[in-house]
């Protein structure tokens, strides 16, 4: 997951720019700056202003470059996109015209062994995007067997979660697991490789990374933050790479656009549907229900793009 060659190429770039429709004078939030591919394209497309957020201090080198190339129009805010309202308010910005989130890890993070994200290269078992809080090693060495199995199952959809958790707990009795290579080797002894050539450690590494960085919690907080932040007709875009993330975005969009079909067909309706009974005005409109995927040429060039899904929602005038 996200450990593919080509991860440095901004995914679905043309589609993101087309959906954001950059215009002169507008303000955009690039919530996941990375190497700045989306930010640069926005700044080149119109005389707009971009506030880019990233929790990884290592992106400073790319941010400085853009700040120099687009003086007064580009600003990097270091922090979590879940805190976007507070980060922007500190700069006097309370309303924006578009927000884009490109969820997951960057190629810079994956490719540097010392960041501890990679199961391909040996490094310290770290996986923190922002060098704060608990590391992957803390999680692996101090969680109970049950907690580990839950993390691997829920965030990695790993069917052999229990066996892996048992093996981790057994191995750490001898010595703590501190290297990505050690953990990957342990997993490979349990899980068989797939016919598609996917490394057996892929799902477990994804799960641990998601937990260490609270990635799903952050995504939920960012989606909620977009409601008060977006101006009427403001666009909210999310590019996701696996079903856990896409489900969160899809359910958020459906529930805030009056499209929720959560109610059971088997419950009594007492003559009115839930939709008409207490339907608040929708906060978003969904121009298309299905996500946009990469076309054949992009998928061929960029392996990461193959699993990408872009969803778009447009803010209505309804009060937050
Ligand atoms: C896939 S990369 C983005 C690539 C970017 N679109 C580009 O064109 O280069 C994801 C970036 O989001 C950052 N990130 C992930 N979760 C974050 C969060 N909760 N808050 C802020 N940044 C986050 C990561 O540090 C990483 O740099």
């Amino acid at each position: 997951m996200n450990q593919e060659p080509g991860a440095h190429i901004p995914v679905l770039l043309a589609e993101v720019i087309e959906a954001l429709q950059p215009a002169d004078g507008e303000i955009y939030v690039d919530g996941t700056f990375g190497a700045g591919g989306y930010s640069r394209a926005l700044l080149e497309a119109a005389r707009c202003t971009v506030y880019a957020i990233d929790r990884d201090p290592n992106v400073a080198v790319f941010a400085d470059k853009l700040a120099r190339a687009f003086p007064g129009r580009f600003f990097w805010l270091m922090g979590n996109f879940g805190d976007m309202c507070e980060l922007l308010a500190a700069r006097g910005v309370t309303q924006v015209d578009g927000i884009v989130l490109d969820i997951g890890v960057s190629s810079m993070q994956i490719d540097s062994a010392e960041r501890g994200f990679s199961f391909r290269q040996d490094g310290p078992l770290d996986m923190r995007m922002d060098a704060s809080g608990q590391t992957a090693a803390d999680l692996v060495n101090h969680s109970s067997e049950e907690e580990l199995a839950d993390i691997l199952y829920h965030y990695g959809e790993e069917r052999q979660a229990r066996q892996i958790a048992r093996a981790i707990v057994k191995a750490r009795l001898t010595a703590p697991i501190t290297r990505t290579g050690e953990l990957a080797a342990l997993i490979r002894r349990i899980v068989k490789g797939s016919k598609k050539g996917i490394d057996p450690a892929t799902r477990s590494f994804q799960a641990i990374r998601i937990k260490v960085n609270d990635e799903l919690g952050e995504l939920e907080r960012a989606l909620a933050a977009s409601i008060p932040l977006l101006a009427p007709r403001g666009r909210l875009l999310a590019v996701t790479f696996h079903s856990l993330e896409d489900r969160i975005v899809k359910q958020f969009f459906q529930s805030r656009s009056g499209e929720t079909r959560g109610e059971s067909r088997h419950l009594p309706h007492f003559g009115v549907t839930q939709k008409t009974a207490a339907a608040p005005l929708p906060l978003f409109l969904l121009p298309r229900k299905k996500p946009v995927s990469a076309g054949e040429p992009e998928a061929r060039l960029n392996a990461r793009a193959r699993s990408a899904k872009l969803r778009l929602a447009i803010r209505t005038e309804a009060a937050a």
Side-chain angles (χ1 to χ4, degrees), residues 77-147:
L77 313 174
M78 193 184 134
N80 291 327
F81 54 57
D83 297 327
M84 65 174 84
C85 287
E86 296 76 9
L87 290 167
L88 287 155
R91 298 293 185 110
V93 179
T94 51
Q95 208 167 56
V96 304
D97 302 289
I99 299 171
V100 59
L101 300 168
D102 177 11
I103 301 303
V105 269
S106 68
S107 60
M108 283 99 65
Q109 289 163 337
I110 286 288
D111 292 345
S112 35
E114 69 275 15
R115 300 294 302 268
F117 288 100
S118 178
F119 47 74
R120 296 194 205 286
Q121 311 172 66
D122 185 42
L125 196 50
D126 191 320
M127 300 200 197
R128 293 169 303 170
M129 290 183 188
D130 59 2
S132 74
Q134 71 165 357
T135 64
D138 294 334
L139 190 110
V140 163
N141 290 303
H142 301 301
S143 305
S144 69
E145 184 177 326
E146 199 184 344
E147 282 165 349

Side-chain angles (χ1 to χ4, degrees), residues 153-192:
Y153 184 74
H154 291 300
Y155 298 142
E157 296 172 322
E158 173 54 71
R159 270 181 281 159
Q160 285 170 269
R162 281 185 191 289
Q163 292 96 309
I164 298 170
R166 200 173 310 133
I168 288 175
V169 170
K170 191 172 166 211
R172 76 189 190 194
L173 285 175
T174 316
I177 302 170
T178 58
R179 310 285 301 175
T180 57
E182 263 179 284
L183 181 63
L186 177 151
I187 297 165
R188 289 185 194 119
R189 284 196 289 275
I190 297 165
V191 183
K192 283 201 178 65

Side-chain angles (χ1 to χ4, degrees), residues 24-36:
D24 292 356
E26 293 207 331
I27 301 177
Y28 303 103
V29 175
D30 176 355
T32 48
F33 177 69

